[in-house]
């Protein structure tokens, strides 16, 4: 599969997050803001057009990977908020019982 560069300079070969020859998944080290910003650039590139089918597919696949990274970060943030709210509710309940 042909490689395509995103606007951020990252190269993708369409593999789901894995580099050549079993290299580590670089998406696992991306922060939320990094993944979001790169995803925005991928979408802009796709909307602008002017790429080959292979390049467009590679960009689409990269966008899917980045969306998953963002979703994991958001799910983690939601879990932390839910835990904090549950703890706060438990403390308030204990205070009214005691």
């Amino acid at each position: 599969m042909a490689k395509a560069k995103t606007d951020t300079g990252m190269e993708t070969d369409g593999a789901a997050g894995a580099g050549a020859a079993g290299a580590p998944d670089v998406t696992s080290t991306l922060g939320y803001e990094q993944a979001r910003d790169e995803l925005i650039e991928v979408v802009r590139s796709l909307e602008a057009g002017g790429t080959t089918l292979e390049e467009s597919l590679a960009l689409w696949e990269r966008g899917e990977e980045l969306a998953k990274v963002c979703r994991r970060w958001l799910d983690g943030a939601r879990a932390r908020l839910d835990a904090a709210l549950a703890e706060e509710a438990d403390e308030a309940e204990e205070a009214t019982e005691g």
Side-chain angles (χ1 to χ4, degrees):
M1 180 178 267
K3 292 190 179 194
K5 281 194 178 179
T6 65
D7 287 352
T8 58
M10 293 194 70
E11 203 168 70
T12 179
D13 62 0
D25 180 0
V26 295
T27 58
S28 65
T29 61
L30 288 176
Y32 172 77
E33 289 81 6
Q34 292 171 304
R36 180 203 58 211
D37 291 347
E38 187 180 341
L39 180 56
I40 290 168
E41 291 305 315
V42 166
V43 170
R44 284 184 183 146
S45 295
L46 287 168
E47 287 177 341
T51 58
T52 67
L53 177 60
E54 286 296 319
E55 291 169 337
S56 294
L57 287 172
L59 285 168
W60 180 272
E61 290 168 344
R62 180 64 179 164
E64 290 291 329
E65 295 168 15
L66 293 165
K68 287 177 187 175
V69 170
C70 290
R71 174 55 55 197
R72 282 194 303 266
W73 276 104
L74 292 171
D75 289 346
R78 170 55 66 191
R80 289 174 61 189
L81 286 171
D82 289 346
L85 291 172
E87 183 179 320
E88 185 177 294
D90 289 345
E91 289 173 359
E93 186 177 315
E94 289 174 5
T96 59
E97 290 176 357

